[in-house]
Amino acid sequence: MAKFVKVARVEDIAPGEKRIFEVDGTLVVVINLDGQFYAIEDVCTHDGGPLGEGRLEGAQIICPRHGARFDVRTGDALTLPAFEPVPTFEVKVEGGDVLVESW
Ligand code: FES
């Protein structure tokens, strides 16, 4: 059974925005994509870049270090130089709280 940790209120992350949280020692980027929340690890699989500091373009986040794109819904690497997917975390909304799966 996955454990979930509250990180924010729904209104804390507007649609089209993201925020970085520490969840049990892991940095996680939580993205609000048109009202649906997604979470990925804040570490690029190419060379450890801080993905949470990257730009969002629709469902894609662009690594600020060398420009690899990832799909925030699946974690898939969409462009080089990254080819490994970034880990994703399940997100739940309960009573206006945003909860992220903890490893
Ligand atoms: S560290 Fe992200 S593209 Fe290189």
Side-chain angles (χ1 to χ4, degrees):
M1 201 54 186
K3 174 184 155 203
F4 284 83
V5 175
K6 177 188 169 183
V7 294
R9 296 281 300 165
V10 166
E11 58 270 22
D12 294 336
I13 312 170
E17 295 192 354
K18 58 182 161 50
R19 279 185 58 190
I20 302 167
F21 300 96
E22 187 175 330
V23 179
D24 288 342
T26 301
L27 288 177
V28 174
V29 189
V30 178
I31 300 111
N32 180 342
L33 189 60
D34 297 330
Q36 186 76 39
F37 288 88
Y38 297 93
I40 59 173
E41 193 172 5
D42 184 30
V43 180
C44 180
T45 57
H46 171 237
D47 192 26
L51 274 185
E53 293 174 21
R55 195 159 44 86
L56 270 177
E57 255 185 36
Q60 297 180 13
I61 194 163
I62 303 165
C63 179
R65 195 168 287 175
H66 310 108
R69 289 172 178 255
F70 294 86
D71 188 320
V72 302
R73 299 166 297 188
T74 60
D76 287 345
L78 303 173
T79 62
L80 293 171
F83 53 90
E84 296 279 348
V86 67
T88 58
F89 302 81
E90 208 178 317
V91 183
K92 291 199 296 196
V93 174
E94 279 181 3
D97 292 335
V98 179
L99 299 100
V100 174
E101 175 189 9
S102 168
W103 286 351

Short mmCIF file of all heavy atoms in Angstrom, two decimals, residues 25-29 31 39-45 49-52 61 86-89 103:
data_model
loop_
_atom_site.label_atom_id
_atom_site.label_comp_id
_atom_site.label_asym_id
_atom_site.label_seq_id
_atom_site.Cartn_x
_atom_site.Cartn_y
_atom_site.Cartn_z
N GLY A 25 12.62 13.06 1.78
CA GLY A 25 14.01 13.10 1.34
C GLY A 25 14.21 13.11 -0.16
O GLY A 25 15.34 13.21 -0.62
N THR A 26 13.12 13.02 -0.92
CA THR A 26 13.23 13.05 -2.38
C THR A 26 12.62 14.34 -2.90
O THR A 26 11.51 14.71 -2.50
CB THR A 26 12.47 11.85 -3.00
OG1 THR A 26 13.03 10.65 -2.48
CG2 THR A 26 12.57 11.85 -4.51
N LEU A 27 13.32 15.05 -3.79
CA LEU A 27 12.77 16.26 -4.38
C LEU A 27 11.82 15.88 -5.52
O LEU A 27 12.20 15.13 -6.44
CB LEU A 27 13.88 17.17 -4.90
CG LEU A 27 14.70 17.87 -3.81
CD1 LEU A 27 15.83 18.70 -4.44
CD2 LEU A 27 13.83 18.75 -2.92
N VAL A 28 10.61 16.40 -5.42
CA VAL A 28 9.55 16.03 -6.35
C VAL A 28 8.97 17.31 -6.95
O VAL A 28 8.71 18.28 -6.23
CB VAL A 28 8.45 15.25 -5.61
CG1 VAL A 28 7.26 14.97 -6.52
CG2 VAL A 28 9.00 13.94 -5.05
N VAL A 29 8.78 17.31 -8.26
CA VAL A 29 8.13 18.42 -8.95
C VAL A 29 6.66 18.07 -9.13
O VAL A 29 6.34 17.05 -9.74
CB VAL A 29 8.74 18.67 -10.34
CG1 VAL A 29 8.21 19.97 -10.93
CG2 VAL A 29 10.26 18.68 -10.28
N ILE A 31 3.15 19.17 -10.80
CA ILE A 31 2.70 19.98 -11.93
C ILE A 31 1.18 19.95 -11.98
O ILE A 31 0.57 18.89 -11.86
CB ILE A 31 3.26 19.40 -13.25
CG1 ILE A 31 4.79 19.42 -13.22
CG2 ILE A 31 2.74 20.17 -14.46
CD1 ILE A 31 5.41 18.05 -13.16
N ALA A 39 3.32 14.27 -10.80
CA ALA A 39 4.55 14.48 -10.05
C ALA A 39 5.67 13.63 -10.64
O ALA A 39 5.47 12.46 -11.00
CB ALA A 39 4.35 14.11 -8.58
N ILE A 40 6.84 14.28 -10.77
CA ILE A 40 8.03 13.59 -11.27
C ILE A 40 9.20 13.92 -10.35
O ILE A 40 9.17 14.94 -9.64
CB ILE A 40 8.38 14.02 -12.71
CG1 ILE A 40 8.63 15.53 -12.78
CG2 ILE A 40 7.31 13.59 -13.69
CD1 ILE A 40 9.15 16.01 -14.13
N GLU A 41 10.22 13.10 -10.39
CA GLU A 41 11.40 13.41 -9.59
C GLU A 41 12.11 14.64 -10.18
O GLU A 41 12.13 14.84 -11.39
CB GLU A 41 12.35 12.21 -9.54
CG GLU A 41 13.42 12.39 -8.48
CD GLU A 41 14.26 11.14 -8.27
OE1 GLU A 41 14.10 10.15 -9.02
OE2 GLU A 41 15.08 11.15 -7.34
N ASP A 42 12.71 15.44 -9.28
CA ASP A 42 13.36 16.69 -9.70
C ASP A 42 14.79 16.44 -10.17
O ASP A 42 15.69 17.22 -9.86
CB ASP A 42 13.33 17.68 -8.53
CG ASP A 42 13.90 19.04 -8.90
OD1 ASP A 42 13.80 19.41 -10.08
OD2 ASP A 42 14.47 19.71 -8.01
N VAL A 43 15.00 15.36 -10.90
CA VAL A 43 16.36 15.02 -11.33
C VAL A 43 16.30 14.52 -12.77
O VAL A 43 15.68 13.49 -13.05
CB VAL A 43 16.97 13.92 -10.43
CG1 VAL A 43 18.38 13.59 -10.90
CG2 VAL A 43 17.00 14.36 -8.97
N CYS A 44 16.96 15.22 -13.66
CA CYS A 44 17.00 14.80 -15.05
C CYS A 44 17.81 13.51 -15.18
O CYS A 44 18.87 13.37 -14.56
CB CYS A 44 17.63 15.90 -15.91
SG CYS A 44 17.72 15.48 -17.66
N THR A 45 17.31 12.59 -16.01
CA THR A 45 18.00 11.31 -16.16
C THR A 45 19.21 11.40 -17.08
O THR A 45 19.94 10.42 -17.23
CB THR A 45 17.04 10.24 -16.70
OG1 THR A 45 16.50 10.69 -17.95
CG2 THR A 45 15.93 9.95 -15.72
N GLY A 49 20.23 17.19 -14.01
CA GLY A 49 19.75 18.58 -14.02
C GLY A 49 18.49 18.76 -13.18
O GLY A 49 17.72 17.82 -12.99
N PRO A 50 18.29 19.99 -12.68
CA PRO A 50 17.13 20.28 -11.83
C PRO A 50 15.87 20.50 -12.67
O PRO A 50 15.54 21.63 -13.03
CB PRO A 50 17.56 21.55 -11.09
CG PRO A 50 18.48 22.24 -12.05
CD PRO A 50 19.17 21.16 -12.86
N LEU A 51 15.17 19.43 -12.98
CA LEU A 51 14.02 19.51 -13.89
C LEU A 51 12.98 20.52 -13.43
O LEU A 51 12.35 21.19 -14.25
CB LEU A 51 13.35 18.14 -14.00
CG LEU A 51 13.91 17.18 -15.03
CD1 LEU A 51 13.04 15.93 -15.07
CD2 LEU A 51 13.98 17.84 -16.40
N GLY A 52 12.81 20.65 -12.13
CA GLY A 52 11.79 21.56 -11.60
C GLY A 52 12.07 23.01 -11.93
O GLY A 52 11.18 23.85 -11.83
N ILE A 61 8.07 19.08 -19.85
CA ILE A 61 8.97 19.91 -19.07
C ILE A 61 10.35 19.80 -19.72
O ILE A 61 10.75 18.73 -20.19
CB ILE A 61 8.99 19.50 -17.58
CG1 ILE A 61 9.66 20.58 -16.73
CG2 ILE A 61 9.62 18.13 -17.36
CD1 ILE A 61 9.36 20.46 -15.25
N VAL A 86 12.04 9.69 -16.47
CA VAL A 86 12.22 10.19 -15.12
C VAL A 86 11.14 9.52 -14.24
O VAL A 86 10.02 9.29 -14.71
CB VAL A 86 12.11 11.74 -15.09
CG1 VAL A 86 10.71 12.23 -15.43
CG2 VAL A 86 12.57 12.30 -13.76
N PRO A 87 11.48 9.15 -13.02
CA PRO A 87 10.48 8.50 -12.17
C PRO A 87 9.26 9.40 -11.93
O PRO A 87 9.40 10.62 -11.80
CB PRO A 87 11.23 8.25 -10.86
CG PRO A 87 12.67 8.21 -11.24
CD PRO A 87 12.80 9.20 -12.37
N THR A 88 8.10 8.79 -11.90
CA THR A 88 6.87 9.51 -11.60
C THR A 88 6.31 9.05 -10.26
O THR A 88 6.66 7.97 -9.77
CB THR A 88 5.79 9.26 -12.67
OG1 THR A 88 5.54 7.85 -12.73
CG2 THR A 88 6.25 9.75 -14.03
N PHE A 89 5.47 9.89 -9.68
CA PHE A 89 4.83 9.57 -8.40
C PHE A 89 3.33 9.75 -8.59
O PHE A 89 2.89 10.69 -9.27
CB PHE A 89 5.30 10.55 -7.30
CG PHE A 89 6.78 10.55 -7.08
CD1 PHE A 89 7.60 11.29 -7.92
CD2 PHE A 89 7.34 9.82 -6.05
CE1 PHE A 89 8.98 11.30 -7.72
CE2 PHE A 89 8.71 9.83 -5.85
CZ PHE A 89 9.53 10.56 -6.69
N TRP A 103 8.05 7.21 -1.46
CA TRP A 103 8.74 5.91 -1.68
C TRP A 103 9.18 5.31 -0.37
O TRP A 103 9.53 5.95 0.56
CB TRP A 103 9.96 6.13 -2.54
CG TRP A 103 9.60 6.36 -3.97
CD1 TRP A 103 8.37 6.23 -4.58
CD2 TRP A 103 10.50 6.79 -5.01
NE1 TRP A 103 8.45 6.55 -5.89
CE2 TRP A 103 9.73 6.89 -6.20
CE3 TRP A 103 11.85 7.09 -5.04
CZ2 TRP A 103 10.30 7.27 -7.39
CZ3 TRP A 103 12.40 7.48 -6.24
CH2 TRP A 103 11.63 7.57 -7.40
#
